[in-house]
Amino acid sequence: MTKQFPVIILAAIVFALSGCMANSSKKEVVDEDLVYPRPPEDPRYYYERTINSSADVLSDTESDKLRRAFTGESLRGEGFAKPYGVAVHRGRIFVGDTVRHAVLVFDIPEQKFFFIGRDQNEGEGKIHKPMGMSTDGSGNLYVLDATAKRVVVYDRDGNFLRNIGKPGDFYRPAGIGVDKEGTRVYAVDIGGSSSNNHHVLVYDAQTGERLENISERGTEDGQVNLPRDALVAPDGSIYVIDGGNFRVQHFSSEGDYISKFGSVGRNPGQFSRPKEGAVDNEGNVFVVDAAFGNFQIFNSDGQLLMHVGERSNRNRPARFTLPSSLDVDEDGRVYVVDQLFRKIEVFRPADLEEDEGFTFTE
């Protein structure tokens, strides 16, 4: 017995170590699934978190946990019905919901949640169908209301400021961009088969004066067909997601054509159903494609850098069925909306630590 005892201990140790090694190996596989691009390439983005409801950002106190333990109550929160647009400012995420007729606001650092445009009754600040959304450098929120056919402007806390545009200006409003100075608003009219209003309307963001139109319906350089969104770059130029022509076109802030990239197809760098996008601080262009179930990243010259995500009926990180919009914040984090899975996914650039940036909560 005395001779067998050390052998039994040794076997137990080996078994435990092998279990640890197996768990470690499994963890590495899971981690690799959350890194983009996948190894052996150097990581550029990490999946960071998913937001499904207000419960994902509100603080959970010990008394709350204790109450649920005694009552069996589950953790609940205000969630999405059909999210579409997203805009982000310093850790505060604005998500338009076309069924709830409101903007849901998730503030990660302040651990707050509230609505915008829901409780204004039928007043000037009421939202009917929020589509494209954007923020300026001060955090003011610009919402393109597809039903009211106007741009509704709020301050960062949801206080109504003003309306821009008239119902007669738009046929089928879609996306919107605004410069960081809060001086110019670029509102996209997608048009339709029976309308030639395929263009970008430019407004003075302060007075609401309509300044000009950018582009017209067509397939030539500088023309658009079923445009989806206008993305304002750091230098003030704009990228228009030209959905019906399966490309992105680059214009100056005055509307002069500069360049284009993309074509119809199923390969990386091409488009099938481009929707909305954003431009980061480095001038890289991010475009969501609803058919591919991903977002692609291009440099300012239109060269494909990488893509993140894939189409799937299974709700997992970086798996999308109907992605509609994205935004990139001041730190480079990417926020992606999926309408069918009713979620916001956040991706962190690899050069940013988890506890860095505006979304960090003490």
Side-chain angles (χ1 to χ4, degrees), residues 132-134 142-144 151 174-178 185-188 228-230:
M133 301 199 306
S134 187
Y142 299 73
V143 182
L144 189 50
V151 179
I176 188 172
V178 59
V185 172
Y186 301 89
V188 176
R228 300 293 316 199
D229 200 9

Side-chain angles (χ1 to χ4, degrees), residues 84-288:
Y84 183 84
V86 61
V88 186
H89 181 263
R90 299 193 173 192
R92 179 167 288 186
I93 309 168
F94 304 91
V95 184
D97 194 304
T98 59
V99 171
R100 301 197 71 171
H101 311 293
V103 174
L104 285 66
V105 185
F106 305 83
D107 193 303
I108 296 177
E110 295 184 20
Q111 298 181 317
K112 291 171 55 177
F113 171 83
F114 57 95
F115 288 95
I116 292 177
R118 186 188 69 166
D119 302 319
Q120 276 85 354
N121 298 316
E122 295 300 321
E124 291 186 304
K126 173 68 177 177
I127 295 177
H128 300 270
K129 188 178 182 180
M131 293 292 287
M133 301 199 306
S134 187
T135 56
D136 62 23
S138 300
N140 296 317
L141 176 67
Y142 299 73
V143 182
L144 189 50
D145 190 326
T147 298
K149 296 186 178 181
R150 65 188 181 188
V151 179
V152 191
V153 187
Y154 306 88
D155 69 16
R156 194 172 187 270
D157 295 319
N159 299 304
F160 171 75
L161 297 178
R162 57 191 173 274
N163 286 316
I164 295 175
K166 303 182 296 295
D169 290 351
F170 297 100
Y171 180 81
R172 187 181 165 197
I176 188 172
V178 59
D179 59 22
K180 292 304 178 185
E181 294 75 23
T183 59
R184 282 196 166 199
V185 172
Y186 301 89
V188 176
D189 196 329
I190 195 172
S193 59
S194 60
S195 169
N196 286 320
N197 290 355
H198 299 234
H199 51 214
V200 179
L201 290 74
V202 185
Y203 294 92
D204 184 302
Q206 300 301 316
T207 67
E209 177 188 0
R210 184 172 169 179
L211 303 176
E212 60 180 322
N213 293 345
I214 294 177
S215 194
E216 61 183 1
R217 188 176 192 180
T219 59
E220 301 298 322
D221 291 350
Q223 296 179 327
V224 296
N225 183 35
L226 302 175
R228 300 293 316 199
D229 200 9
L231 324 175
V232 182
D235 63 0
S237 63
I238 66 168
Y239 293 87
V240 177
I241 298 181
D242 187 2
N245 290 324
F246 305 96
R247 64 189 181 186
V248 175
Q249 296 201 73
H250 191 193
F251 296 86
S252 71
S253 58
E254 289 76 28
D256 298 320
Y257 171 80
I258 298 174
S259 62
K260 65 182 178 181
F261 61 86
S263 62
V264 61
R266 302 174 62 180
N267 298 316
Q270 295 181 310
F271 300 111
S272 180
R273 196 181 171 192
K275 298 292 283 288
E276 295 201 356
V279 182
D280 68 11
N281 290 333
E282 297 178 358
N284 298 316
V285 182
F286 297 66
V287 182
V288 163

